[in-house]
Amino acid sequence: MRICTAPPNSGEVVLGLTLPDLLDEACQKNPNPKALNVFRDGRWISYSTQQLREDAEAIAAGLRTLGLATGDRVALFMYSDPDFVRVDMGAQIAHLVDVPLYLTYAPELLQYVLQHSEARVLVVSDHELLQRLRPWLPQLTYLRAVVLAQAEPGTPPPDDWPDTLTWLTLADLMARGREVLAQDPDLIRRLKQAIMPDDVATLIYTSGTTGTPKGVMLTHQNLTFNVKSAFGAMGRWFDGPNEVILSFLPLTHVFGRMMQYGYMNFGGAVYFIRPRELAERAQEIRPTMFATVPRLLERIYERILETGQSMRGVKGALLRQAIALAQRYRVGQPLRGKDAWLHRVLDRLVYSKWRAILGGRLKYAISGGAALRPDLAHFFAAAGIIILEGYGLTETSPVITVNRYETFRPGTVGQPIAGVEVAIAADGEILTRGPHVMKGYFKNPEATRAVIDEEGWFHTGDIGELSEDCYLRITDRKKHLFKLSTGKYVTPQPIEDALRASPLVDQAVVVGEGQKFAAALVFPNEDAVRSYARQKGLNPDQSLLALLREPLIRQAFEDLMPRVNAALPRWSQIRRMAILPAALTVENEMLTPTLKVRRAKVKQAYQQALEALYQTPPPEGEWVIVSMEQAARS
């Protein structure tokens, strides 16, 4: 088994640190007067690195007044903003374990995580979030106190507040903490000194595409090692206090959390926004970098294509030329002749405007959390917008591999970070070993043993390939592979990626376990379908199902199949598609909070459409079925 490690000059391996060490180091070496920034009440509010430390220390002392012991759990049901960062760091300094809760979790999952984690304190951002939890808070047998973050000191509890739960605002908690520190100035030093690198820092429950969420125990060293190695891979391209960062990833997710620790440690100025505010805030803040998930990049791409189709005149012609050139551009293959000349012209007239929408000084964006389509990385690179894709899991703190700025290779997730080993098992599964691998699943030793073997290799559940120079390519999830009745295995992800490359397609799920051919459940991009209908002279205001039955719209979906199948072996080609007038969302629980498709739920919800795909002839219901036979006839 070949083992891959980081390429030369990937930064040093740093062990033995705790999360409070990262903050102390930042205050000493990389202080920033605008370390954390949030827009509230019509203005930007800033927190310096030193203020963050002082607030976190007050919170730590305040938490300890609630009777918490080392290792007790503090749950965070909070927006991704400076309050989250301050409370998180306060819990770390207090030698407690925090448990972030996804804001998109259904009530039963919130209850499960709070009870399973044995959370003794719950910190909630505001009254709106608190209302989602109130009905069943008294049923949580371990919970002792609730802290409301966005409230004035002394704000009373809601009516009928249970006597069993202590009520505090964050301001009250910090005031308590400052009183304690005035009487015992040595408390913080003693707390920090007691924290060991191998102590659990946080308990992050996997969002779970199947089954009950598992609590991933990440230690201080898991996270601090990952921060140092991941940011070390960026090298000189992360310029500490000179970096201006837009942050819109949820801090409940380990990717956003690790990036925030890195920004803090290396001195960047972080501006917290919501994803839908990206274009507006980017022009105001002019970021030098941000981290994102592929879905946001896909939406930007879809919007560019839609604008190109609808814009008329000279500007429309130029935009369509720019799109066409970007679609055929390939990183590492210099343009020549007419294309090189055209690129220079379009860069001045079109691509520069795309960069201006993102503020005009973006060096790169980092993509993680799910697979990025290679065509998008090439497309944006043509416009001078560099997307660096990485790979990791909650259980690996999270980064395993990442693309470097100078040597990024679209279609791969880069090379290992310093201190991390990566290998491919005999069955194609990606394995990794190193200080980034979790301590285990909370109260679940059987599940831990199932994924971490005796040699310390963590079995990721992903299928992949390593190039000769150790670039990793993800091909699918191990559990997503399925076998046709012919005995052939189908790898769904590349087919789904190819379908989603069409602006008309929002999501796709390839099916066919035990059947004689592969098929797909396709969920259209409603905005794109209506825009296409308008261009074709159809009534765009009719129901989505009626639109999908229009011959011209149907034809557009039929035309997808030959294009998608062209790169596939004949036995794995999709033969039919059921186009469903529905959307997969976090709210309807068809997507996880990290935007991964819950395949089992989708198949269960659309069982009738799935069955129709394999009937002869296939009937239509609250969906539209198109087939290769129809595409061939057209």
Side-chain angles (χ1 to χ4, degrees):
M1 184 170 70
R2 183 167 71 101
I3 297 175
C4 277
T5 56
N9 304 315
S10 288
E12 61 178 327
V13 176
V14 180
L15 300 175
L17 296 180
T18 68
L19 290 168
D21 288 338
L22 294 186
L23 178 53
D24 289 339
E25 195 174 86
C27 288
Q28 293 159 16
K29 297 180 180 179
N30 299 309
N32 193 316
K34 294 187 175 182
L36 305 174
N37 304 271
V38 64
F39 195 80
R40 281 186 189 153
D41 301 322
R43 64 188 181 93
W44 285 101
I45 299 171
S46 300
Y47 297 81
S48 69
T49 313
Q50 182 60 35
Q51 186 178 351
L52 167 60
R53 180 163 66 175
E54 291 173 4
D55 289 355
E57 289 176 351
I59 291 168
L63 287 169
R64 281 292 189 156
T65 69
L66 297 177
L68 298 177
T70 295
D72 278 349
R73 267 73 67 196
V74 177
L76 311 182
F77 195 49
M78 304 182 73
Y79 303 119
S80 297
D81 60 16
D83 289 340
F84 185 110
V85 177
R86 295 188 300 157
V87 174
D88 168 41
M89 191 52 67
Q92 304 307 326
I93 293 170
H95 207 173
L96 304 170
V97 176
D98 60 30
V99 186
L101 303 172
Y102 284 106
L103 300 185
T104 52
Y105 262 162
E108 60 271 17
L109 281 179
L110 289 170
Q111 278 184 275
Y112 172 81
V113 171
L114 283 164
Q115 188 67 10
H116 185 267
S117 67
E118 303 174 15
R120 291 175 61 82
V121 173
L122 170 65
V123 186
V124 184
S125 284
D126 60 15
H127 282 285
E128 184 178 344
L129 292 184
L130 181 62
Q131 285 302 111
R132 292 174 53 187
L133 310 177
R134 272 204 66 192
W136 39 264
L137 284 180
Q139 301 167 25
L140 300 172
T141 55
Y142 297 95
L143 194 63
R144 294 293 177 266
V146 173
V147 179
L148 189 68
Q150 295 179 26
E152 294 297 320
T155 299
D159 294 338
D160 302 322
W161 187 254
D163 295 335
T164 55
L165 292 179
T166 298
W167 166 268
L168 285 167
T169 68
L170 184 58
D172 297 332
L173 184 75
M174 293 171 68
R176 275 194 187 193
R178 291 189 181 103
E179 288 178 10
V180 169
L181 293 178
Q183 298 169 10
D184 185 2
D186 197 46
L187 174 63
I188 296 300
R189 185 195 63 78
R190 295 198 308 273
L191 287 170
K192 289 181 180 179
Q193 199 171 48
I195 306 169
M196 295 293 106
D198 195 45
D199 288 342
V200 176
T202 190
L203 195 55
I204 301 179
Y205 281 76
T206 58
S207 53
T209 55
T210 60
T212 304
K214 296 188 287 289
V216 177
M217 296 186 289
L218 296 181
T219 68
H220 285 264
Q221 181 164 275
N222 285 152
L223 290 160
T224 56
F225 159 80
N226 207 264
V227 165
K228 292 293 191 180
S229 289
F231 277 73
M234 298 182 206
R236 63 189 178 89
W237 296 103
F238 189 85
D239 189 18
N242 293 318
E243 299 293 350
V244 176
I245 302 131
L246 286 183
S247 178
F248 47 82
L249 293 180
L251 294 176
T252 45
H253 185 235
V254 68
F255 179 33
R257 183 99 162 268
M258 185 280 297
M259 293 300 293
Q260 173 56 41
Y261 290 140
Y263 301 149
M264 174 191 75
N265 183 242
F266 288 91
V270 181
Y271 289 78
F272 292 95
I273 65 167
R274 296 173 182 171
R276 64 175 179 268
E277 298 175 327
L278 176 59
E280 174 192 353
R281 295 302 183 194
Q283 293 177 63
E284 175 188 359
I285 303 302
R286 302 186 65 232
T288 57
M289 69 163 293
F290 59 79
T292 184
V293 291
R295 190 68 193 112
L296 186 139
L297 298 171
E298 289 170 4
R299 285 174 178 155
I300 294 173
Y301 174 72
E302 290 160 2
R303 184 61 57 89
I304 291 171
L305 296 191
E306 186 179 332
T307 304
Q309 291 169 349
S310 60
M311 187 177 284
R312 297 290 175 259
V314 175
K315 287 185 177 180
L318 280 172
L319 179 54
R320 285 186 287 277
Q321 275 195 308
I323 290 170
L325 181 61
Q327 286 175 328
R328 61 179 182 269
Y329 180 86
R330 291 295 175 267
V331 172
Q333 299 177 21
L335 296 171
R336 304 186 186 282
K338 181 182 175 182
D339 273 354
W341 171 83
L342 184 60
H343 186 271
R344 287 193 295 272
V345 172
L346 292 173
D347 189 71
R348 187 171 67 252
L349 298 177
V350 181
Y351 298 143
S352 61
K353 292 181 172 59
W354 295 3
R355 294 192 296 272
I357 290 172
L358 294 174
R361 59 176 182 175
L362 186 73
K363 292 185 292 186
Y364 55 83
I366 297 174
S367 177
L372 175 70
R373 287 169 22 208
D375 62 304
L376 293 188
H378 291 297
F379 181 88
F380 285 112
I385 300 169
I386 306 303
I387 312 295
L388 303 178
E389 186 178 9
Y391 165 67
L393 299 91
T394 303
E395 291 89 339
T396 59
S397 311
V399 183
I400 298 172
T401 63
V402 70
N403 270 290
R404 278 70 169 171
Y405 186 90
E406 299 92 338
T407 56
F408 79 104
R409 192 176 294 178
T412 77
V413 291
Q415 298 163 296
I417 61 173
V420 165
E421 295 179 304
V422 179
I424 304 296
D427 62 357
E429 185 175 12
I430 300 165
L431 311 179
T432 187
R433 184 170 63 182
H436 60 313
V437 174
M438 67 171 179
K439 196 163 190 171
Y441 294 117
F442 185 57
K443 298 195 294 193
N444 199 339
E446 296 83 6
T448 302
R449 286 193 293 271
V451 295
I452 302 177
D453 65 27
E454 293 178 353
E455 296 180 351
W457 289 104
F458 174 73
H459 294 243
T460 65
D462 289 316
I463 301 295
E465 303 167 346
L466 283 165
S467 69
E468 286 300 314
D469 49 357
C470 289
Y471 279 83
L472 179 64
R473 189 169 75 89
I474 313 295
T475 56
D476 215 319
R477 286 290 290 170
K478 186 176 180 179
K479 63 187 176 186
H480 293 167
L481 299 177
F482 62 82
K483 187 189 288 187
L484 298 172
S485 61
T486 60
K488 296 284 190 179
Y489 280 95
V490 174
T491 304
Q493 184 174 306
I495 306 172
E496 292 164 357
D497 287 347
L499 285 166
R500 288 192 299 111
S502 166
L504 296 176
V505 176
D506 184 55
Q507 292 286 357
V509 177
V510 173
V511 297
E513 175 72 41
Q515 302 288 348
K516 61 183 178 181
F517 61 82
L521 300 173
V522 173
F523 299 85
N525 180 329
E526 183 171 352
D527 290 342
V529 169
R530 293 192 185 282
S531 176
Y532 186 77
R534 192 177 293 108
Q535 293 169 38
K536 295 297 181 181
L538 303 172
N539 173 16
D541 298 323
Q542 56 189 305
S543 73
L544 182 55
L545 180 59
L547 273 177
L548 295 174
R549 286 180 170 152
E550 290 277 7
L552 286 173
I553 304 291
R554 187 182 189 119
Q555 181 68 55
F557 280 96
E558 287 173 7
D559 291 345
L560 286 179
M561 279 192 289
R563 295 205 298 270
V564 169
N565 286 338
L568 298 172
R570 183 170 180 78
W571 50 263
S572 70
Q573 293 177 350
I574 53 169
R575 310 300 298 175
R576 290 175 181 169
M577 297 191 310
I579 310 163
L580 298 117
L584 305 185
T585 67
V586 174
E587 289 71 26
N588 64 24
E589 299 184 35
M590 298 296 171
L591 298 181
T592 71
T594 52
L595 304 184
K596 296 181 181 71
V597 175
R598 288 190 161 111
R599 292 167 184 265
K601 284 204 169 194
V602 171
K603 291 175 185 177
Q604 181 181 13
Y606 299 101
Q607 182 64 31
Q608 285 185 305
L610 197 156
E611 291 173 356
L613 285 167
Y614 293 98
Q615 294 179 31
T616 305
E620 295 195 357
E622 294 300 307
W623 57 80
V624 174
I625 290 184
V626 297
S627 67
M628 277 297 291
E629 291 76 13
Q630 291 168 318
R633 286 197 301 271
S634 64

